[in-house]
Amino acid sequence: MPDATGLELAAHELRELDAESIVDTEFHRGRATLIANPPQISKVLEHLKTKGYTFLASLHGVDYYPEEPRLGVLYELLDMKQVDRISVKARVHSDDAHIASVVDLFSGANFPEREVYDMFGVVFDGHPDMRRILMPEDYEGFPQRRDFPLGGEPVLFTYNEEQNYGRWQ
């Protein structure tokens, strides 16, 4: 992982290519994170890929409720030759949760982008198959958002069979 100085150098290099690309940096507990401007996410990831970060290890959604911009997309990139890792974070507003798809750069982003869409409602513009992957197509809402209502239909598990349906004999 780049140290704090290496992270600032990477951010500086990206800002030289596009002044709007990097909003901030975070170096916390040994984890180097570039905070990208959402419209430039593809350019940032493409540049990092040319620098050796060729493997997208993971792509996650995050809900920072009640903060705005509320929804985040976190990309974990690996440089397999240098055994190095860097994180890139972009945050979008919940009322306009759109960010560019990076499936064209990292084919492994296909299903994780669909999962982030399904669970958080972030739309990945340009994705080849932007539809739900875990929930039914007619499902309303996004279950991983922090303001999603708890409850729903009761589910029968073995520990509650007796209290709900009497003893099985």
Side-chain angles (χ1 to χ4, degrees), residues 45 74 111 144 148 168:
L45 295 177
L74 183 65
F111 292 152
Q144 290 295 310
F148 189 77
W168 291 92

Side-chain angles (χ1 to χ4, degrees), residues 9 17 26 41 47 62 71 87 100 102 117 153 160 164:
L9 289 172
L17 295 172
E26 290 177 359
I41 193 67
H47 178 74
V62 183
L71 301 173
S87 300
V102 294
Y117 163 69
E153 296 180 27
N160 66 0
N164 291 333

